[in-house]
Every structure is written in C-alpha cells, then in structure tokens.
Amino acid sequence: MSRRGLLIILSSPSGAGKSTLSKALLAWDNTLSFSVSATTRPPREGEVNGKDYYFVSTDDFQKQVHEGDMLEHARVFGNYYGSPKGPVQAAIDTGRDYLFDVDWQGAQQISNSTLRDHVLSIFILPPSITELHRRLVSRGQDYPEVIEERMQKSWDEISHWDSYDYVIENDDL
C-alpha cells in the first residue's frame, strides 16, 4: 500500500506565530504543500491572490460551502475563511503532506471530517498574554479596537488547546 498524505494543522490565537512557523516549516521541507485558504476579507498590503489566500466574494464563498467544496469554514472577525477541499484530497491521495494554518474551529472541522485519520494537530501558545499583545501591536496591521477584539478572542481560542495532538510554546522561533 502506498503512503497517504498527512494533514498537519497549526492553530493559535492571532499573534502567537502560526503564520511565521508555517513559513519556516515550508522553507525547511519543500515537499510540504500549504493549504491556501479562501477568504472574503480584503487583501492586506503585499498579499497575493492564490498565494496567500483566494480572495472571493461572500456569494462565491457561500456557494462553495453549499456545494460541499470546503473542507472547513468559519466566520472570524466578520469575514469568512475556508479550505477548498479539492486540492487537499488530491494531495492526500498522492501521498503529499498538507499544512494548514487555521483557527480552532477549522481544526475541529478537519479533525471531524472524512480525512480525520490523516490529521496531526498542533496548537501554538504565546509565551505570555503580554507578549501576545506586543506582537499584535508590533505587526502594525490592525486598529487598536481590532487588536482588543483579537485579545478578547484569544482566551476562547486558547481554551481549546487540549483538543490538539501537541501543544508548543512559541517563545523562541
């Protein structure tokens, strides 16, 4: 029997470092594929459609969900995010590993999907709540009220750490 691919899920509260760690993993292992999520939020400066996200309209996103074309999806901070199922299934079938950078809701949906036997989930914690706040501010991407909303949501996200296979503290990249 040939090897089936592995779905590696990284989750964390905003600012804990999952995107930075994802990029480091992809640079370290060039056989690893990255799950490019679809989103209804507008692109941030420097983001490229099809590389960072697939930027889609709310109507197009909801159509894909309705047709079962999303492996996972959620509404987060007023925008929809989801992982198109087709590329993931193709990777698994050909033995390629796939990396996901998703929140706890997405991780839960993937872990409960028909691909659950291929999931390895990792939750990333910041060294402290103070450091988490510092990281969000230093990114310079969000207004203070958005940062406060992300900080409030981080408590809920952190409360789901025990549903993951592994938990790491991102204090030293």
Side-chain angles (χ1 to χ4, degrees):
M1 179 173 209
S2 62
R3 179 188 185 277
R4 302 251 315 165
L6 183 66
L7 303 181
I8 303 167
I9 298 173
L10 295 182
S11 298
S12 73
S14 294
K18 72 180 175 289
S19 296
T20 301
L21 288 171
S22 293
K23 289 175 185 170
L25 280 171
L26 291 165
W28 177 69
D29 182 354
N30 63 3
T31 66
L32 191 59
S33 297
F34 182 69
S35 174
V36 177
S37 296
T39 183
T40 59
R41 76 159 171 78
R44 293 179 181 145
E45 187 174 331
E47 289 181 327
V48 177
N49 188 45
K51 180 179 179 244
D52 300 296
Y53 287 94
Y54 295 108
F55 297 99
V56 299
S57 71
T58 300
D59 288 343
D60 286 343
F61 189 95
Q62 291 176 337
K63 180 181 176 192
Q64 290 178 43
V65 169
H66 179 73
E67 293 176 355
D69 293 336
M70 290 287 176
L71 181 59
E72 58 82 25
H73 63 279
R75 187 167 187 201
V76 182
F77 299 117
N79 296 295
Y80 291 100
Y81 294 83
S83 299
K85 186 164 67 173
V88 176
Q89 185 68 60
I92 292 301
D93 291 346
T94 59
R96 288 191 332 244
D97 297 334
Y98 227 75
L99 180 65
F100 289 85
D101 172 346
V102 296
D103 68 3
W104 71 269
Q105 295 164 321
Q108 187 175 54
Q109 288 179 46
I110 295 168
S111 294
N112 291 329
S113 76
T114 57
L115 299 177
R116 69 183 156 273
D117 293 339
H118 306 284
V119 169
L120 170 70
S121 61
I122 304 166
F123 193 83
I124 303 160
L125 289 170
S128 68
I129 294 300
T130 302
E131 176 61 14
L132 181 65
H133 185 266
R134 187 201 66 75
R135 289 176 184 180
L136 288 172
V137 170
S138 69
R139 287 195 312 196
Q141 295 177 340
D142 297 312
Y143 293 108
E145 58 271 12
V146 173
I147 291 171
E148 182 57 33
E149 184 179 354
R150 290 183 187 276
M151 289 299 299
Q152 291 299 318
K153 183 145 177 83
S154 69
W155 291 106
D156 179 50
E157 292 169 351
I158 290 170
S159 74
H160 296 278
W161 68 268
D162 62 346
S163 64
Y164 288 76
D165 298 317
Y166 296 93
V167 177
I168 62 171
E169 180 183 316
N170 183 14
D171 63 343
D172 182 358
L173 185 59

